[in-house]
Amino acid sequence: KEMGRALLAQHHPRVLRVMVAEALGGSRSPEAEPYLIDGLKARVGSVRVACVVALGRLGATKHRRAIRRLAKDDDPRVRHAVFQEHLRLTTEPRERLFDVVAASLQDPHPGVRRAAIEANLAWRRRDSIPALIHLLERDSQRLTLHAAEALQLLTGLDLGKNPARWRQWWDAEGHANPLPSLAEAEAAREDRLARRKASETQ
């Protein structure tokens, strides 16, 4: 209770409140959960982030509604933490979670977009491909490379970083064809690399 009150005290230093949230998350005590949920309303972004992470460590499940509200938080660090927490709360319907992932591909913060790319790759959903192609058109070079690699591992194809080529493939056949497994896509990539090396050797 003393730690919970310290977390919620607006006059306490930010660093202290963050440390308290981390300690509550590691306590494994169900009594810490309501304090951390109240901490999601803190005015300081770093405290909100610490509470989101701590609730995840605690294995809490009663904060889904509060987490959904924070998905549009002004602080990109909060949105990133909320995105990871959404993925942890897998008891929600898969379709709703995918909507969160798809929306996060358009997030202004690159860290959130990177995490969304990785989630799309892990879930291997064909309807994520247009959003990944869109990233090739407008994102930074680093995330463009990341999106192109995700497209390769989703489709088994290597169409580079050119969004026009990916869109042409998608419109012609990609939207209808089933995706290969991750093992098949990785094998196709290894085969391309081997043929490229053989050509260089010749």
Side-chain angles (χ1 to χ4, degrees):
K1 290 179 181 179
E2 289 294 331
M3 294 175 69
R5 284 195 286 267
L7 169 66
L8 301 178
Q10 299 287 348
H11 63 277
H12 281 335
R14 170 186 57 82
V15 175
L16 172 63
R17 297 172 69 193
V18 168
M19 291 175 63
V20 169
E22 292 173 351
L24 287 172
S27 70
R28 303 297 180 185
S29 170
E31 296 179 11
E33 186 172 351
Y35 292 109
L36 290 168
I37 292 175
D38 284 343
L40 296 175
K41 304 172 187 175
R43 291 195 294 264
V44 182
S46 57
V47 176
R48 297 197 297 275
V49 170
C51 289
V52 173
V53 174
L55 284 163
R57 291 183 63 199
L58 200 63
T61 58
K62 298 177 182 178
H63 59 298
R64 291 190 181 90
R65 184 174 297 176
I67 285 293
R68 282 196 289 270
R69 286 196 297 268
L70 286 179
K72 297 182 180 179
D73 195 275
D74 292 336
D75 192 322
R77 299 169 301 170
V78 176
R79 295 198 304 273
H80 188 271
V82 165
F83 176 77
Q84 299 294 343
E85 186 64 0
H86 266 302
L87 297 183
R88 184 186 71 83
L89 295 169
T90 53
T91 54
E92 288 197 4
R94 196 75 165 181
E95 292 297 324
R96 186 184 302 171
L97 270 178
F98 180 74
D99 291 343
V100 172
V101 174
S104 297
L105 283 171
Q106 311 299 327
D107 192 275
H109 191 259
V112 180
R113 297 199 300 276
R114 175 180 291 276
I117 290 171
E118 293 171 356
N120 273 296
L121 180 57
W123 287 4
R124 305 193 64 75
R125 291 187 46 140
R126 187 170 57 237
D127 45 0
S128 69
I129 291 176
L132 291 171
I133 295 173
H134 182 64
L135 286 182
L136 296 179
E137 295 174 324
R138 68 174 188 89
D139 222 313
S140 65
Q141 183 176 5
R142 181 175 297 180
L143 275 181
T144 295
L145 289 171
H146 199 46
E149 182 180 9
L151 284 167
Q152 285 184 34
L153 291 176
L154 279 172
T155 65
L157 303 173
D158 183 8
L159 302 181
K161 297 183 295 180
N162 187 334
R165 293 181 65 193
W166 281 107
R167 285 198 182 282
Q168 184 179 8
W169 166 80
W170 175 255
D171 292 339
E173 55 185 297
H175 65 282
N177 288 347
L179 294 181
S181 67
L182 178 59
E184 291 170 337
E186 288 177 336
R189 183 170 66 173
E190 292 299 320
D191 182 59
R192 286 193 299 270
L193 289 173
R195 284 188 276 115
R196 193 173 300 159
K197 289 180 180 178
S199 177
E200 289 172 358
T201 303
Q202 290 173 358

